[in-house]
Each structure stands twice: as structure tokens, then as C-alpha cells.
Amino acid sequence: MTYKAQFFPGKSDPSKNRRKYMDPSYKLQKIRSVSDEDIVRVLGHREPGEDYKSVHPPLEEMGEPECPIRELVEPTPGAKAGDRIRYVQFTDSVYFAPISPYQRSWMYSYRYRGMDSGTLSGRHVVEARERDVEAIAKEIIESETFDAARTGIRGRTVHGHALRLDENGIMFDAMQRYVFNKSTGEVQYVKNMVGEPIPAPISVGKPLSEDELKKRTTIFRADGVTIRDDAEVLQMVQNVHWERSFGGFEPYKEAKF
Amino acid sequence: MVYKDDKHSFMQAMKKKFEEAPDKKQTKFYVYGGYKQNKRKVEFHDAGQQIAKERGIPGYNPSVGMPQGQRVLMPYQLSHTDIIANMDDLHFVNNAAMQQAWDDMRRTILVGLDSPHNILEKRLGKEVTPETINHYLEVVNHSMPGAAVIQEHMVETDPRLVKDSYVKVYSGNDELIDEIDSRFVIDINKEFPADQAAQLKKAIGKSMWQVVRIPTIVGRVCDGGTVSRWSAMQIGMAFIGAYNLCAGEAATADFAYAAKHGSVIQMSDMMPARRARGPNEPGGLMYGVVSDCAQSLAKYPDDPARHSLETIALAALIYDQIYLGSYMSGGVGFTQYATAAYTDNILEDFVYWGMEHVKDKYGSLAKQKPSVKLINDIGTDVAMYCLEQYELYPAVMETHFGGSQRATCISAAAGTSVAMATGNAQAGLSAWYLACNVHKEQMGRFGFYGYDLQDQIGAANTFSYRSDEGLPFELRGGNYPSYAMNVGHQSAYGGIVAAAHAARGDAWALSPHVKVAFADRSLPFDFANITKEFGRGAMREFIPAGERDLIIP
């Protein structure tokens, strides 16, 4: 029997969304367009049109030794070209952001190769070869997992995920990398990931409505759905805890405890 | 758990911190005048300019850093007090009470008197009576701060600089204690409720111990490892002087060992070479010891939650702000992290809710046998309650704006609740890890990498006692293998240990000696009112020891 990944338990919307985003056979819904040049500008690692900086020659010029792993694993485009490692990092508001840091890690692990992810409470960083990072960033920023108001693209000074929202429902950013354009109703990036000004505002579109966010989110909340409302999720959490506890070196046996 | 219940103990603080109602999700940013909204930061700014001018080297200058104050710079209410403190005043560098709390622990060592008394009588033919003990205590209280006893033409310390140094004694032998000059005694009967005093006296027995406080200034200039040496030298000199001992005979070597090192309790263990700290430094401090330093239970014997919270406050200072925040890391960020555990009555609300939940569900504390089901039930209930408060009250979420702050408080509440239900700290620790998983899954996020690593692996050794596999929780500490960088955890670990024993009605968690040693009214820092003392420090009302104004222009 072929193993079929279940991805995540549960019947609630956050559970379904977690499954959906993790399942690489599901194509993330594209809800906005941002040009390749603007993605490069927001990331701030290079200027649009500038060559990629490399840390080694292209692999095909390197005369690599015979190696079954090298034969087995197709290098990513960035690895083939010898790009340096760069990153993109997102901050996700606790207020029904479409996705949150753990789900990013899980989703990226299923969807992308040649990357390394870091999960913290407010933000999530993914590192990869530079052109691979740009491709990941473009797919994510244009997708349903990114909301203009509740997701931030932030390389530094990332705080804000747990703060209340501003009067327009926008997540706090101490560097004010983005502004809400009242006339268009859109959020515009005016600085790159590390807070350096960019030549012209880059729109990431209008914020989703609260109802739409609640439908798309992976976050369980008391004013939405909690894991208590999704019995299978709670059961999974408790199972994980006890498997870890009694899988130790020489613990008490459960029956005797 | 009633939404909009004004009885939440964090409500008062939330209303003082923010203009908006605590359940409102929206606020304003970038309109508060930056750092100028905060009087302390204005003071820092002005002082920074003056200092730069005077020394000719640029210094504090907020314009080169991330602009402070683009949102409300919140004040903090010290839990179970009415004191509202400025955030900067809770960094230990800015808070004399916090410094003194650790100074008082580091400069303490407990030294037994039974062994030297035996050698005095059996090897050296000296008579030991209450009168000779009183005489010795008078001499050692002269020598301990740094004064000469045996030799002439000796350099001595200025008594005004070392006036916080002294030696007291305690014993479980009431008859003996009655014979000792009360100025030298920590009287267990006076400092503890009767049932706790009876437990302590029984555990200590007939033996007599000295509580030695070396000068704060010595602990600071040297280190924790100095404490036993300073104490030993002054004790040796005092014995020679008080009992007219020969300074050269062979028996004196035996006596010196017995008097100085034979029965000694240090506050913490030496650290291994890779962390390179001596004894009486914070990394080697066991959770049972920090729980025993806290004295809340003696003053509020029916309130195990308060004792747990006070222990957490003390442990947050020592493990997070001082040890991990400075010894192991350096800088200022850890203060923001640690204060979450002892300000604004948020953890207070969680821990009391958990305790009342246990009472409602099981009728009493410390009567339940630990089990998978019990830990699951209480741990999940309490963790979910805490999560709901963050989610229903955005002001609370914003107050604990880092995931690790929330992780500390949620897991601490689950851990203390199970510890109080079972009287078993190990079961409480298991609930800590369960709550970590509940938190992670509910929010899809957790703490910093330390949480995401250590709390994913920690459950595996919760129930292990064997060497190299685990330890009873009371004996674990900052140097336990995977706890060495557990920022934000160890405050609560101390509190979980405290909760288990307080709920059982135990007078102490690990050491009756430590418990008695810190029930001492002569200490500058009051270990029965830890958050209040931190608050007094923040208000600049606390008078510390070890000052050197006397010897500067």
C-alpha cells in the first residue's frame, strides 16, 4: 500500500486550511500580481536587473565528483548557478493572518526544495539560493497565504504580530515599511525588507475582509475556532505529548505512573 | 472563564497601561511622541548628551537606534502590589532591589557548628557551652565583615562599608536556642507558623548551623566562589580567637577543616569548565533552592499560589535577567522577556484560576495521584484558559507581545496547577510540556528557538530520575543539560517546584536550612515580598548594601 500523507487532522476550517497549504498537490490560489522587479525591490538583496552574486561557479563547470546523491538530487536553479544564500521573512499577525509560522515551516517543507526555514513566534524566515528565494517569495506574496494587512515582509525589527491593529486593521510595523493608501484602499510598500526606502510604492493590494480571513486562516482562536472545538486536533496534541514523554530513556511505565 | 469578567486580576493593570478597553482589538500607532512619552527615556536622552559632552565619546543617543515609542511605552504593575513601574526601571542595572536580591543569595553560606564543637571538646579539650558559643558569635560578627582577631598590625575593612555582613545561628533545638543571645538567632518559632516550624525543627534536628553573610561588596568585586573562602577564613580566625586555640598544632588542621568546610551548604553548585563559574553563582542554582529562598509561604501559609508566583518572580530575576540575560548572553532584551512573569497580574490570574479550577474539580489540593488523564485534563484546561485570555483581551496579548512571554505564562500556569493538584513537581513539569504543545497547535506559533527546540525534546526526560537521564525537578537547575539556554523557562520551573510543596503543606521544597536562612529580618532584601521589593527598587525607594559612597569624592 502506498503511504498517503494525511498532513493534519481535524475537521475545522483551520485544520482544513493547514492540510490544504501543506499538500503540494494543492495549487495555492493566486490573489494578486506583483512584478518580478518589485519582488526584487522589496527583498532588497539586489537591484532589479543586477546579476546574481555567486559563491561558486555554475555546477556544470565545476567537474563534480561521481556521487549517487548528486545524481539522485536535481539541484535547484539557484544551486546550479552558484547563487549565494539569501532569505525572505514574513511576520504573521495573531489576528487571523492567513498563515502562521509553524504552518509556514510545514508548508515550505512540502513545497520547496533546497531551503532552510526558521520558526519563531511572530515571524518565519526561509533561506535558499537567491533566485530560489525570489521564486518562493513571489509565489507566497501573490498567494492566498499573504494578506496585505496581517502579513508583513520584514527582514529586521519584526515585532508587531501580537500587537493590536491600527485604525485601518493593519499590523504594526516599527519601521513603517508599508502604508495604507486610503484613496485606493490598498497597502503599499515604501521600504524594503530591512527598512531602506524604495523608489516607488509597491502595492500588495487590498486587505482581505475579516470574514474572508477567518475562512482562510490556519490559526485557532477563542474568537474563532479553538482546538477544543476540533476533537481530533486536541487528541493529536495530547498523543504527541505522551509519545514524547514515554519514549524517553528509562521513564516510568505509564501503567505504574 | 467568563468573557468580559472584570474580576480578572489583570484588568486593573490593563486599564492603566492602555487608553482603550482591554477587549478592543484596535488602537493607534506612531502618534505618542516617540521616546518623549516616557520620562525615564527623556532623562536618559538628556543624560546621554551630557555624558558625551563630558567624556568626549558619544554614548546613549536614541536617534541612532530604532526609534522608541512608536506605540505606547507601557508601564508595568508589579504583581500583587499597587506599584506601577517604568519599564526601564525593571532592568537589574537600574534596580537596586533586584541587585540586592541576588547579592543576598550569592553572599550567603551555611556552615555547621556541630563538627567544630566536637573537635573542640574531644581533640582540643575545650569546653563548649552556650556562653562560649555566644562569645564566639560576638567574635565572628567582628571578623566576618573583615576585621582582625589574631594578629596585630592588620589591615581591616571600614565597618561602614561592610555593615551588611554578619553571622546568625539556628537550630531545631529550642532549649539551646533559648540560651543564645537573640541578636544572633534566626528563631524558627518566630519566623514560621507552628506547623511549618515543627517540620523545620524536626528536619534540622539538634544540630546548630551558622548563616554567614559575607559583605555584599566582596561578592561583587570577587564572585560567588569567594563566599566560602571569605567565610572560612573569618570563621577560622574567630574560633582561634574565641577559644584561644594554638595556631600551629596538628589538631588545628582537623579543626580548621571541620570548622570551615566539614559541613557547608552553598547556595549553588560549581559550573563545569565550559561555563566556568564557581559555586554561589546563578547557573548552579537548583530550583528547590530558589523556591526555598522565597518566604511567601511563611507569611501567607494558606496561599500556595502566591508562594509559587513569588518564587517565579525571584527566579525570573536570577535565571533570566541576570544569568541567561547577562552571564550567558549580555544585553537588555531579557528583561522584557522576564518581567512578563511577575508584572500586570497576568500570570497571577492564570495561576489562581488554575488553583481554583483544581479545587473545584477535585475538592482539594495535593490529593490527586499523578496520571496521564489528570495531567491531560488539568494541563489542557488551564492552557486553554490562558490562551483564551490572550485571544479575548488584545491588551493582554499586546502586553505579552513576544511568543516566549506567553509560552512562559501559559505553561507555568498549567505546570503549577498540576503540581498543586498532585503535590508532585515532576507531574507539574509534564503539564508544562503538554501546555507547550497545546499553545503551539492553537496559535500555530510558539516561542523563540529555545522553546521550539527544548520544549519539543523536554518531555522525553520528564519522568527520568537516573543519572544522565534526568533528576527530580527540585534538584534540576540552570545547568541541567537542555536547560542551559532555556530563557523564560526556569522562572516557572522554580514556581512549579514551589507549587508542589506549598500545596502539600511542606515548609520547604528542597532544603530546610535554606528556608530558615532566608527567614531573616536583617537581610536588606525582603524575600517574603519579592515583587514589592522589585517595585521599591523601581521607585528608587530601596536602600541596598555594598555602597561605596564613603570612599569616593
Side-chain angles (χ1 to χ4, degrees):
Chain A
M1 190 180 79
T2 308
Y3 172 72
K4 191 169 182 300
Q6 298 171 54
F7 299 109
F8 198 80
K11 294 175 180 168
S12 59
D13 282 346
S15 292
K16 288 176 190 165
N17 291 333
R18 288 181 183 198
R19 269 199 295 278
K20 201 166 65 176
Y21 299 151
M22 289 162 76
D23 180 356
S25 69
Y26 170 80
K27 187 164 173 49
L28 294 175
Q29 197 183 335
K30 182 175 171 178
I31 61 172
R32 66 181 65 77
S33 290
V34 181
S35 71
D36 292 354
E37 289 74 18
D38 282 347
I39 293 290
V40 169
R41 286 190 186 98
V42 169
L43 295 180
H45 299 314
R46 65 184 182 109
E47 292 297 325
E50 184 186 350
D51 286 346
Y52 291 102
K53 291 181 176 65
S54 60
V55 291
H56 59 76
L59 289 180
E60 62 183 22
E61 295 174 15
M62 285 184 65
E64 291 192 292
E66 278 190 23
C67 167
I69 300 301
R70 285 183 166 87
E71 287 170 20
L72 198 65
V73 180
E74 169 75 18
T76 64
K80 272 184 193 167
D83 292 355
R84 60 183 177 164
I85 302 288
R86 293 284 68 208
Y87 70 91
V88 60
Q89 180 162 261
F90 297 99
T91 296
D92 300 300
S93 170
V94 297
Y95 294 108
F96 297 114
I99 193 166
S100 49
Y102 263 94
Q103 283 72 54
R104 282 190 185 277
S105 250
W106 300 341
M107 177 178 83
Y108 294 3
S109 298
Y110 278 108
R111 289 176 181 269
Y112 303 118
R113 297 190 308 117
M115 65 89 203
D116 182 22
S117 70
T119 318
L120 293 95
S121 61
R123 59 184 159 125
H124 180 279
V125 64
V126 58
E127 297 183 67
R129 303 287 189 143
E130 188 162 350
R131 73 191 67 197
D132 302 337
V133 160
E134 289 173 3
I136 292 170
K138 183 167 170 67
E139 181 175 20
I140 298 297
I141 291 168
E142 290 185 335
S143 82
E144 61 189 309
T145 64
F146 184 95
D147 177 58
R150 311 289 166 92
T151 313
I153 312 167
R154 303 180 185 181
R156 57 166 293 203
T157 315
V158 296
H159 294 114
H161 79 275
L163 270 57
R164 294 165 296 171
L165 304 168
D166 75 7
E167 53 272 48
N168 300 308
I170 313 282
M171 177 170 60
F172 173 78
D173 176 10
M175 301 196 85
Q176 299 187 64
R177 277 161 277 221
Y178 46 77
V179 293
F180 182 66
N181 184 329
K182 283 188 177 165
S183 61
T184 63
E186 294 183 348
V187 173
Q188 296 176 320
Y189 274 75
V190 293
K191 296 176 185 170
N192 67 17
M193 262 202 312
V194 291
E196 297 160 340
I198 47 183
I202 297 169
S203 174
V204 289
K206 293 180 180 176
L208 294 170
S209 70
E210 201 73 7
D211 286 345
E212 195 62 30
L213 284 167
K214 283 186 178 178
K215 275 186 215 160
R216 292 180 185 274
T217 192
T218 60
I219 300 172
F220 291 96
R221 281 182 56 90
D223 50 354
V225 180
T226 76
I227 58 171
R228 264 197 196 288
D229 304 325
D230 199 331
E232 200 179 12
V233 176
L234 187 58
Q235 185 63 53
M236 181 270 291
V237 170
Q238 293 177 340
N239 285 352
V240 165
H241 176 62
W242 290 104
E243 293 297 336
R244 287 176 176 172
S245 299
F246 291 117
F249 290 108
E250 190 68 37
Y252 292 156
K253 299 290 182 234
E254 183 177 353
K256 290 181 185 170
F257 180 61
Chain B
M1 70 195 85
V2 181
Y3 180 36
K4 292 183 180 171
D5 178 2
D6 272 345
K7 289 177 184 167
H8 286 302
S9 47
F10 51 70
M11 283 300 187
Q12 186 193 7
M14 293 304 111
K15 286 172 185 168
K16 287 183 177 165
K17 289 167 94 79
F18 304 114
E19 268 182 30
E20 299 85 357
D23 59 348
K24 295 295 177 214
K25 202 185 277 187
Q26 288 182 310
T27 183
K28 288 181 180 162
F29 299 124
Y30 323 118
V31 295
Y32 300 101
Y35 75 84
K36 290 181 181 168
Q37 64 179 288
N38 180 305
K39 68 169 187 180
R40 192 69 78 213
K41 289 200 188 292
V42 172
E43 195 181 304
F44 289 176
H45 173 265
D46 296 347
Q49 287 193 323
Q50 185 63 31
I51 290 164
K53 199 172 159 189
E54 286 168 8
R55 72 180 189 178
I57 306 168
Y60 181 84
N61 175 10
S63 67
V64 300
M66 175 54 51
Q68 300 288 302
Q70 294 183 75
R71 56 176 161 123
V72 171
L73 291 172
M74 303 176 269
Y76 289 81
Q77 181 173 2
L78 276 298
S79 289
H80 53 259
T81 79
D82 290 325
I83 301 171
I84 306 288
N86 190 302
M87 58 194 263
D88 297 305
D89 295 337
L90 295 175
H91 191 286
F92 72 85
V93 167
N94 299 335
N95 190 307
M98 290 179 158
Q99 294 165 20
Q100 193 65 48
W102 172 235
D103 284 332
D104 283 349
M105 291 171 70
R106 177 176 49 199
R107 69 195 183 93
T108 295
I109 188 164
L110 313 182
V111 184
L113 279 171
D114 293 2
S115 295
H117 286 169
N118 272 332
I119 291 183
L120 279 174
E121 290 189 322
K122 290 175 183 167
R123 293 285 303 278
L124 302 171
K126 301 287 182 181
E127 191 181 19
V128 178
T129 66
E131 289 71 29
T132 65
I133 295 172
N134 280 328
H135 176 55
Y136 162 76
L137 287 169
E138 193 153 2
V139 177
V140 79
N141 271 289
H142 166 71
S143 68
M144 191 55 67
V149 181
I150 303 301
Q151 293 170 294
E152 52 76 50
H153 202 281
M154 287 295 289
V155 170
E156 297 179 311
T157 56
D158 188 317
R160 291 168 294 181
L161 292 169
V162 292
K163 64 185 177 186
D164 57 322
S165 178
Y166 57 87
V167 177
K168 289 187 178 182
V169 293
Y170 63 90
S171 172
N173 183 344
D174 282 347
E175 288 174 14
L176 175 58
I177 287 296
D178 284 346
E179 300 289 324
I180 304 298
D181 185 336
S182 61
R183 294 175 300 171
F184 301 130
V185 170
I186 296 176
D187 189 337
I188 295 172
N189 295 317
K190 283 186 183 161
E191 301 302 336
F192 294 91
D195 65 321
Q196 292 180 22
Q199 290 180 49
L200 289 161
K201 286 190 293 184
K202 188 177 174 194
I204 292 162
K206 301 283 185 193
S207 59
M208 177 176 265
W209 287 73
Q210 302 166 92
V211 178
V212 177
R213 319 281 187 196
I214 77 159
T216 293
I217 204 165
V218 174
R220 287 185 162 210
V221 174
C222 305
D223 70 350
T226 303
V227 178
S228 66
R229 277 85 166 197
W230 184 282
S231 157
M233 181 58 75
Q234 308 314 120
I235 284 174
M237 293 299 122
F239 266 117
I240 290 170
Y243 286 93
N244 293 319
L245 304 179
C246 169
E249 68 171 319
T252 305
D254 287 354
F255 173 75
Y257 179 79
K260 296 173 175 183
H261 311 296
S263 47
V264 164
I265 299 173
Q266 310 218 42
M267 292 302 102
S268 70
D269 292 335
M270 195 165 73
M271 301 283 277
R274 66 188 180 280
R275 300 200 179 94
R277 306 289 176 188
N280 275 30
E281 290 293 323
L285 188 68
M286 292 180 276
Y287 304 133
V289 170
V290 77
S291 169
D292 287 331
C293 289
Q295 297 293 322
S296 180
L297 203 60
K299 305 292 176 198
Y300 305 93
D302 298 323
D303 194 346
R306 187 184 192 278
H307 178 59
S308 178
L309 288 157
E310 285 273 292
T311 302
I312 288 170
L314 183 61
L317 167 70
I318 292 166
Y319 291 119
D320 293 327
Q321 295 181 221
I322 296 178
Y323 177 59
L324 292 169
S326 286
Y327 278 69
M328 297 287 274
S329 169
V332 295
F334 289 64
T335 301
Q336 193 74 264
Y337 191 155
T339 53
Y342 60 82
T343 56
D344 298 326
N345 287 321
I346 295 174
L347 182 56
E348 198 96 347
D349 182 89
F350 296 175
V351 169
Y352 277 98
W353 189 91
M355 184 175 76
E356 293 307 318
H357 180 63
V358 168
K359 286 181 185 171
D360 287 348
K361 202 161 181 178
Y362 301 100
S364 58
L365 300 181
K367 301 290 185 208
Q368 301 303 307
K369 194 176 172 188
S371 70
V372 169
K373 183 174 184 313
L374 184 95
I375 294 168
N376 267 349
D377 287 352
I378 300 174
T380 304
D381 285 350
V382 176
M384 289 305 300
Y385 169 80
C386 302
L387 282 160
E388 285 164 8
Q389 303 323 301
Y390 286 121
E391 288 158 0
L392 297 174
Y393 295 102
V396 178
M397 180 75 87
E398 184 165 325
T399 298
H400 290 179
F401 59 89
S404 299
Q405 296 172 314
R406 299 188 295 271
T408 297
C409 292
I410 293 167
S411 303
T416 53
S417 300
V418 169
M420 283 193 266
T422 59
N424 181 318
Q426 230 76 17
L429 177 61
S430 181
W432 165 285
Y433 289 119
L434 171 66
C436 290
N437 288 358
V438 169
H439 175 182
K440 186 193 85 175
E441 216 56 59
Q442 167 91 352
M443 296 189 74
R445 67 183 81 226
F446 192 28
F448 79 123
Y449 286 114
Y451 275 92
D452 293 320
L453 190 163
Q454 287 131 7
D455 289 294
Q456 307 291 328
I457 64 170
N461 56 47
T462 300
F463 298 119
S464 299
Y465 276 12
R466 293 201 320 195
S467 175
D468 287 345
E469 292 184 5
L471 269 178
F473 207 19
E474 289 83 349
L475 296 171
R476 298 186 191 189
N479 194 41
Y480 182 79
S482 69
Y483 296 172
M485 280 307 285
N486 262 15
V487 188
H489 295 59
Q490 303 188 62
S491 52
Y493 289 173
I496 291 170
V497 166
H501 290 279
R504 288 161 54 96
D506 295 344
W508 73 94
L510 180 62
S511 170
H513 295 274
V514 173
K515 180 56 76 177
V516 171
F518 284 83
D520 178 5
R521 298 179 195 200
S522 301
L523 282 170
F525 188 86
D526 176 4
F527 286 82
N529 292 291
I530 290 161
T531 57
K532 184 179 175 189
E533 291 289 74
F534 290 174
R536 289 178 63 221
M539 306 298 288
R540 303 186 176 179
E541 293 172 357
F542 181 89
I543 299 175
E547 297 309 289
R548 53 185 180 179
D549 289 357
L550 186 69
I551 50 172
I552 58 179

